[in-house]
Amino acid sequence: MLVQQLQALQQFHVHQKITMMVNRYEVFADDGHGEPGQLVAFVEQKRMAFREHVTLYTDQSKQAVLGTFKARKVIDLASAYDVTDAEGRSLGYFGKKFGKSLLRSTWQLDQPGAEPVDISERSMAMALFRRAWDFLPWVGDLPFPWMYHFDFVRGAETVAVFEKKTRFRDHYRLRIDDPALDRRLLLAQAIALDALQSR
């Protein structure tokens, strides 16, 4: 799919599949009926990398690059991640706000020429319960079974949302309401919201 065609899309579906060595993500355009349609991005994130460098490909053949994101520092909980296109040109960057994330996961997304976008978990109560879940005996190692959602807000306006669709599988829906936001940048951030959430 051409970048211009990708930019015209408003809704995507992000599916994660855990394998032995990598976390695999498939991103689909919405089919117009609320279900996954055409594959638009494919990602394989290596586990236990000392410095995250994740490539978004256009499909499973991994012949064409859609974009990449890379951590600026090695093992830094508050590191920023630079996002670039297939030619290495900057699309923007995002980073986790470590202090605010102690209670509710919070990120900031920056696209050149636009005001920053704040990204945070919608529900403080759910965010706190998710954290408590990790410390409960016998269940801390099990996947957290409840939904959690992220709102992308610029000023007082919600410009995008990232919502978990299923209780146990990591299937998400990304809706982008601002036509000027670069879809490649938003897809990179969406992958990070799952892949880097525990970092």
Side-chain angles (χ1 to χ4, degrees), residues 144-157:
F144 184 79
W146 286 271
M147 308 299 181
Y148 69 104
H149 310 303
F150 287 86
D151 292 321
F152 293 56
V153 178
R154 183 190 293 121
E157 179 186 8

Side-chain angles (χ1 to χ4, degrees), residues 14-28 42-45 47 169-172 191 194:
V14 180
H15 292 183
Q16 183 207 28
K17 182 178 181 181
I18 298 174
T19 67
M20 186 69 70
M21 299 301 295
V22 299
N23 293 327
R24 182 173 294 132
Y25 295 89
E26 294 177 320
V27 182
F28 304 89
F42 178 79
V43 175
E44 288 187 327
Q45 177 222 16
R47 295 184 186 174
R169 293 180 297 172
D170 285 343
H171 288 187
Y172 303 91
I191 297 296
D194 184 277

